Amino acid sequence: MTNAEIARFFKELGDLLEIKGDNPFRIRAYRNAARTIETSGYDFTKLVKEGYDLSQLPDIGERIAKKIAEIVTTGKLSKLEEVKKEFPPHILDLLKIEGIGPKRARALYEQLGIGSLEDLKKAAEAHKIRELPGFDVKTEEKILKGVVLYKKEGRRFLYAEAEPYAMELYDYLKKHEAIHQLTIAGSFRRRKETVGDLDILATSDDPLGTMDHFVGFDKVKEVVSKGDTRSTIILENNLQVDFRCVTDLSYGAALHYFTGSKPHNIAIRKMAVEKGWKVNEYGVFDETMQRIAGKTEEEIYRLFGMDYIEPELREDRGEIEAALEGKLPRLVEGDAIRGDLHCYSTHSIGTASCEEMVEAVLRQGDAYIGFADRADHLLSSHGKSGDPLEAYLKELGELDRRYKKIRILKGIEIAIDADGSLPVAEDLLTSFDLVYVTVEDHFDLDKKRQTRRILAALAHPAVTALTHPTGRIISRRNGYSVDMERVIAAAAEHRVALEIDGHPDRLDLNDVYARMARDAGAKLLLSSLAQNPEELRFRTYALHQARRGWLEASDILNTLPYGRLTKALAKGER
Ligand code: DGT
Ligand code: CA
Ligand code: CA
C-alpha cells in the first residue's frame, strides 16, 4: 500500500468527523497524520512490516500508529467503517464541489437530508439551499455550477491520480515473461491533464496466459471482460483499464491507433484514403491489401512523408500539416529545465523550511530555486520587531551564500488588488528577483473589468510573472472570466512571464493558452508550486503541459542558466 493510499484513510476520517461535528483536536490530529504520511520519505508499509515503532515519528502518536498498522495489515480502518455507517454512502462527494467544506456539508445533510451529488443538484435547482442559514442565492448558484462541472468532468481522473496506478500496473505486467513490448497508450501517453481510462498495449508470446496475468493484478476491483487478446478491468479506485495483446507486425499500428487522439487518427485515415490506402489498428495497407507499414509508429509517419509526431501533439491541432512541412516544434525536454521558479516555504503556506527545499532541489541536480512566498504572510507585521519579510530575505541571502552549488532567487507572490494595483510599497519590490502577481479574489468581476485589472498589474514595471494565470481548478472551478488573448499580448509587450504550474489539479496555463502565449512571443516559466520537497516532482506535470502546448526550450525562462536568467528577469535588458 502506498503512503498516499494510507493517508487517504485519515483524510476521509477527518472529513467525516468534521461533518459530524466531532472534537476539532482529534480531527486535526488525523489530518496532520495524513499529511505526515503523504509527504514522508519513509515507506510506511515497509516500516509496519519491519515492526518499526511508528510513534517515534513526528505527528504520529500511539493511537495513530496503531491505526496505520491496522490499515497496512487488514486494508481497512475499523474506526472509519464505523463513522461511515452514520452517513449516506456518498456524502463525501459533496466536498468535491467548490464552495462546500465539511461545515456546509453538515448543514446540507442535517437540514435538507442531502447525502449525494444528485440530492445536491435537485435541492439547488429547487432553490432550497439559499434558504439555509449561512447560504444565499450566490452560494446556491455557485454550488449548482460546481455540480454541473463535476458531473461533466469528475468521472475523469487527474493524470497524477492515474499515474501511480498506471506505473504499478506497468511494472507488474513487465514482470510477466511472455510480454515483450509494453506501452500505456491513450490519453495517458498524450499526457493529457485528465484521463478517462487507461489503454495498455502489449506484444506477447502467450496472449492467453498474459490475459490471466493481467486480471490477476492485486488492485483489481472488477473484471469487466476477459478474452483471448483483450480484457477490461476496473481498479479499486474505479479507474478502468483496457488491455490488448497484438502481434509484433502490427504493434506500431496498434500503438498509433490506441494513442489517439481520435481526431488525429481520423485525419491520418483521411490522408490514407486519398492515397488509396487503408489504415487501421493492424497496419497500413495498399490497394491490394498488402501491408506497407505497421511495425513501428516511425515507419507509419515516414510512409506518409511526415516527421515523427510526439504523442503530446496528436490532437489534430495542426501537427499533421507541420509534420508534412518539417515544421514541428522541437519540444522541451525535462533535462532542459534548470530549476524550479515557484516554491513556497514555511514563511507562508509551505510546510518545509527554505533549507529543506534547497537540500531537496540540490539532490535533484537543479542549478537554482526560486521561492515566491505569499505577500500577505510576508507583510503581515512589516516594520514591527520580528519582521517576517526581513527574516525571509535574510534567510534566503544566507542560504544563497552557504550553498555554493545552487543559486537562490528571492521572490514574492502578490495578490492583485481589486483595481489592479499591488498592495506592496514600491521600494520593497526592489529587494526581489521574482515579483509574481496573481488573482486571488474577486473572481466574479465581469470579463472587461477582470481583464483591465490584470492588465494594470502586468504593466507594473517591477512585475516578473503572472502566476496560475486563469485561476481554474480542474473539475472544480472554471477560471475567472478574462480575455486571455489580451492578457497574453500584454505579457509579451511588458515582458512578463506566464506561469505553467504543475499542481495536479491546476496545471494553469493549460496547453491551448500555453501555445497561444508562445505564438504571441510571451515567455513561460514552469513551476511545481511545491509546498514541501515531495511536491517538487509536480514540475514534471508542468512540463507535460508545456509539451502539449508546443513549447520549445527557448520559450521557457527556466531553461536559462542562472546568469542569463537574471538578465532576462531584469526588465528592459531583455
Ligand atoms: P480518454 O480515455 O477519454 O482520456 O481518452 P483516450 O484518447 O484515451 O480515448 P479512449 O480510451 O476512448 O480510446 C483510446 C484511443 O483509441 C483513442 O485515443 C483513439 C482510439 N479510438 C477510440 N475510438 C476510436 C474511433 O472511433 N475512431 C478512431 N479512429 N480511433 C478511436
Ligand atoms: Ca483512454
Ligand atoms: Ca479506452
Side-chain angles (χ1 to χ4, degrees):
M1 195 175 290
T2 64
N3 285 358
E5 286 164 337
I6 300 171
R8 188 195 288 267
F9 283 87
F10 289 102
K11 275 191 216 162
E12 281 193 5
L13 185 54
D15 286 342
L16 281 174
L17 290 176
E18 192 167 356
I19 295 175
K20 195 176 155 183
D22 205 271
N23 177 341
F25 293 103
R26 181 158 23 188
I27 295 166
R28 185 157 347 126
Y30 290 136
R31 293 205 171 127
N32 286 345
R35 198 169 52 234
T36 304
I37 296 163
E38 204 167 30
T39 59
S40 165
Y42 295 108
D43 178 347
F44 274 75
T45 303
K46 213 164 137 206
L47 292 184
V48 168
K49 292 198 169 139
E50 285 168 359
Y52 184 87
D53 179 6
L54 298 175
S55 62
Q56 300 295 314
L57 299 169
D59 278 329
I60 309 279
E62 260 171 53
R63 290 209 341 250
I64 302 261
K66 255 199 189 148
K67 288 190 166 59
I68 296 174
E70 183 193 346
I71 294 167
V72 170
T73 48
T74 69
K76 279 200 182 115
L77 179 59
S78 45
K79 171 85 185 167
L80 177 63
E81 304 282 310
E82 197 181 289
V83 182
K84 267 186 177 168
K85 278 196 199 120
E86 300 177 33
F87 294 99
H90 299 296
I91 190 147
L92 286 176
D93 288 350
L94 300 184
L95 302 183
K96 293 178 179 157
I97 303 307
E98 172 77 1
I100 300 185
K103 285 203 187 68
R104 282 192 166 158
R106 181 179 176 198
L108 291 165
Y109 175 58
E110 283 185 348
Q111 298 183 47
L112 295 175
I114 293 173
S116 70
L117 292 181
E118 272 314 308
D119 298 348
L120 184 66
K121 184 155 179 273
K122 276 191 205 131
E125 282 165 349
H127 302 315
K128 285 188 187 150
I129 292 175
R130 60 178 68 174
E131 311 295 336
L132 294 182
F135 293 79
D136 56 20
V137 177
K138 242 175 156 179
T139 46
E140 183 181 86
E141 280 169 1
K142 192 168 158 194
I143 286 171
L144 187 56
K145 256 199 209 156
V147 181
V148 172
L149 182 66
Y150 185 79
K151 290 207 163 223
K152 200 166 86 193
E153 294 182 20
R155 273 165 225 277
R156 299 181 63 80
F157 288 72
L158 293 176
Y159 179 91
E161 283 174 332
E163 187 185 29
Y165 285 86
M167 290 309 147
E168 200 179 327
L169 180 53
Y170 182 91
D171 290 342
Y172 169 80
L173 290 170
K174 200 81 208 180
K175 276 195 279 202
H176 191 63
E177 280 176 1
I179 292 181
H180 298 297
Q181 304 192 70
L182 183 66
T183 308
I184 305 172
S187 50
F188 188 83
R189 184 164 180 239
R190 303 198 312 279
R191 306 289 186 245
K192 262 192 79 167
E193 57 198 32
T194 62
V195 301
D197 67 2
L198 295 178
D199 305 276
I200 306 185
L201 197 67
T203 60
S204 165
D205 293 338
D206 168 23
L208 272 174
T210 300
M211 289 299 146
D212 284 334
H213 182 70
F214 173 66
V215 301
F217 181 54
D218 71 347
K219 298 220 158 100
V220 173
K221 183 162 98 181
E222 189 189 330
V223 178
V224 179
S225 66
K226 178 166 169 271
D228 304 349
T229 59
R230 56 176 299 175
S231 300
T232 295
I233 56 176
I234 293 176
L235 300 179
E236 58 192 23
N237 64 344
N238 292 324
L239 177 60
Q240 180 175 312
V241 188
D242 295 336
F243 180 58
R244 293 171 189 82
C245 275
V246 298
T247 63
D248 278 312
L249 269 183
S250 58
Y251 187 72
L255 188 55
H256 183 263
Y257 183 89
F258 291 113
T259 295
S261 65
K262 194 167 153 182
H264 175 90
N265 290 356
I266 290 172
I268 296 279
R269 194 183 310 146
K270 220 172 108 197
M271 285 177 61
V273 170
E274 281 161 16
K275 292 179 191 287
W277 300 340
K278 186 175 160 64
V279 182
N280 57 28
E281 60 263 53
Y282 303 103
V284 186
F285 302 88
D286 68 9
E287 298 88 337
T288 63
M289 279 314 271
Q290 201 65 11
R291 187 197 303 264
I292 46 178
K295 265 187 115 155
T296 66
E297 289 187 322
E298 285 80 357
E299 186 183 73
I300 296 171
Y301 284 120
R302 214 180 304 125
L303 183 71
F304 284 97
M306 299 160 91
D307 289 341
Y308 176 77
I309 302 177
E310 301 278 1
E312 291 94 325
L313 299 180
R314 300 185 197 169
E315 300 291 345
D316 193 22
R317 293 182 190 152
E319 73 278 10
I320 291 175
E321 295 76 1
L324 284 167
E325 292 168 16
K327 285 187 181 154
L328 284 170
R330 197 200 287 254
L331 296 185
V332 57
E333 305 274 350
D335 54 14
I337 309 296
R338 294 175 194 254
D340 199 317
L341 282 177
H342 194 176
C343 299
Y344 299 103
S345 73
T346 42
H347 288 279
S348 68
I349 57 174
T351 56
S353 68
C354 296
E355 184 169 1
E356 287 171 279
M357 296 299 279
V358 170
E359 288 280 350
V361 293
L362 260 179
R363 282 195 294 274
Q364 63 184 29
D366 288 359
Y368 46 79
I369 174 173
F371 288 96
D373 272 294
R374 296 190 18 174
D376 49 343
H377 291 253
L378 296 175
L379 301 176
S380 58
S381 52
H382 181 58
K384 305 202 185 94
S385 69
D387 181 345
L389 177 65
E390 214 168 275
Y392 176 65
L393 291 172
K394 185 159 164 255
E395 184 176 359
L396 293 182
E398 277 171 9
L399 288 171
D400 192 42
R401 278 188 293 282
R402 183 139 57 86
Y403 284 89
K404 298 287 177 232
K405 287 204 177 124
I406 194 140
R407 298 306 307 258
I408 292 162
L409 292 113
K410 305 187 188 90
I412 184 166
E413 186 176 40
I414 304 167
I416 302 170
D417 268 345
D419 64 355
S421 62
L422 304 184
V424 179
E426 295 285 324
D427 58 326
L428 285 181
L429 294 177
T430 56
S431 330
F432 294 97
D433 307 305
L434 310 169
V435 176
Y436 292 167
V437 294
T438 188
V439 172
E440 287 284 330
D441 51 18
H442 299 290
F443 269 48
D444 40 13
L445 285 183
D446 64 49
K447 190 166 180 171
K448 224 166 137 187
R449 290 170 67 193
Q450 191 68 273
T451 305
R452 201 183 317 139
R453 172 191 188 204
I454 296 173
L455 294 189
L458 296 188
H460 193 292
V463 170
T464 317
L466 176 66
T467 55
H468 25 85
T470 72
R472 65 100 173 247
I473 297 180
I474 298 171
S475 307
R476 272 172 67 91
R477 171 173 101 190
N478 292 322
Y480 29 85
S481 169
V482 63
D483 184 343
M484 275 311 284
E485 241 165 291
R486 290 190 65 199
V487 168
I488 286 168
E493 180 194 345
H494 300 298
R495 296 169 185 264
V496 171
L498 295 167
E499 180 179 54
I500 301 178
D501 81 67
H503 203 277
D505 63 5
R506 287 183 172 256
L507 298 170
D508 186 4
L509 285 180
N510 71 12
D511 49 358
V512 172
Y513 287 136
R515 183 165 167 200
M516 206 189 272
R518 166 188 150 92
D519 289 344
K523 295 288 179 213
L524 294 114
L525 69 82
L526 304 193
S527 75
S528 62
L529 296 188
Q531 301 187 5
N532 55 58
E534 167 77 6
E535 291 178 357
L536 286 165
R537 68 191 169 83
F538 291 170
R539 189 168 88 207
T540 306
Y541 306 132
L543 180 76
H544 293 166
Q545 196 78 308
R547 288 171 59 88
R548 286 180 56 82
W550 292 51
L551 299 192
E552 302 192 341
S554 57
D555 299 315
I556 297 170
L557 283 184
N558 33 342
T559 58
L560 294 172
Y562 179 77
R564 285 177 53 203
L565 173 67
T566 50
K567 278 213 190 80
L569 293 171
K571 289 226 224 160
E573 291 173 41
R574 266 189 269 166

